[in-house]
Amino acid sequence: MIYGGPRCVGAVMATVKVRLDSGDQIVTASITKEAVEQLGLAPGIAATVLVKSTEVMLGVE
């Protein structure tokens, strides 16, 4: 389920937060604004999250 709403980042990109069915985890995706419009993403819309990555990096100090 889309949590909050798409947030614009720059002229081309947006971030979208999706709450997983478990209810306690949120996945944030960076996608183009065009994709947000084409998919009709808005708060409360059901969405599927697919993760395709060969590398994920996180860091803290």
Side-chain angles (χ1 to χ4, degrees):
M1 185 83 52
I2 301 295
Y3 174 76
R7 184 176 149 258
C8 296
V9 179
V12 179
M13 299 300 292
T15 58
V16 178
K17 293 183 181 289
V18 179
R19 183 180 301 276
L20 301 182
D21 287 341
S22 64
D24 61 347
Q25 295 177 321
I26 295 175
V27 174
T28 302
S30 296
I31 63 174
T32 63
K33 289 181 185 178
E34 182 180 13
V36 170
E37 293 171 6
Q38 289 177 348
L39 293 169
L41 299 179
I45 299 290
T48 300
V49 174
L50 301 174
V51 177
K52 178 184 175 188
S53 178
T54 57
E55 183 176 342
V56 176
M57 295 189 299
L58 300 171
V60 296
E61 290 189 29

